[in-house]
Amino acid sequence: EVQLVESGGGLVQAGGSLRLSCAASGFTFNDFTIGWFRQAPGKERERNGVSCISNVDGRKYYPDSVKGRFTISSDNVKNTVYLQINNLKPEDTAVYYCTAAAVWGSVCPRAYFGFWGQGTQVTVSS
């Protein structure tokens, strides 16, 4: 059974940092792309990930909106992907979901991802 378990969310002040974790099991971790998506209050889950990493070749994707603040990394021994978020802004407030896909998409499209975690809440106060 595929499982993706997120952790590390919380309430932080603007300018602060968080590191989210996604522990994966039930599939061949090294063959998959892992992505982070978010869903802000009252909005749909974003169509493209905020960060994605290919465990096959290490490729990473970040949209322009988060470049320089978000860093994704993967520990292939622990089967865990991390999302380091620095200089948090109130608009980063959302539930952050970890997800897995068997293929790489250049802009990390949501449609490629079939396995999802339950999410972790990130709340940024101004």
Side-chain angles (χ1 to χ4, degrees):
E1 178 188 4
V2 173
Q3 284 196 319
L4 298 163
V5 180
E6 304 95 333
S7 61
L11 172 63
V12 296
Q13 290 188 331
S17 298
L18 281 175
R19 189 176 80 156
L20 309 183
S21 299
C22 171
S25 61
F27 60 98
T28 306
F29 186 76
N30 291 353
D31 290 347
F32 275 68
T33 290
I34 306 296
W36 286 95
F37 286 69
R38 64 186 180 186
Q39 184 168 5
K43 295 186 178 181
E44 285 189 358
R45 197 169 305 180
E46 294 183 358
R47 292 188 175 185
N48 301 95
V50 292
S51 297
C52 289
I53 185 168
S54 167
N55 285 329
V56 175
D57 59 14
R59 281 182 286 181
K60 299 179 183 180
Y61 164 81
Y62 303 101
D64 289 342
S65 58
V66 307
K67 280 181 181 176
R69 298 193 301 120
F70 285 34
T71 303
I72 191 169
S73 61
S74 183
D75 184 331
N76 288 6
V77 174
K78 295 182 177 180
N79 283 9
T80 299
V81 170
Y82 303 98
L83 182 65
Q84 177 71 38
I85 309 175
N86 297 327
N87 190 22
L88 277 155
K89 304 176 180 181
E91 53 263 40
D92 294 321
T93 294
V95 177
Y96 283 71
Y97 294 92
C98 175
T99 181
V103 295
W104 172 262
S106 61
V107 294
C108 199
R110 188 179 69 197
Y112 280 24
F113 291 85
F115 304 104
W116 295 83
Q118 294 300 306
T120 186
Q121 176 71 48
V122 171
T123 303
V124 184
S125 63
S126 57

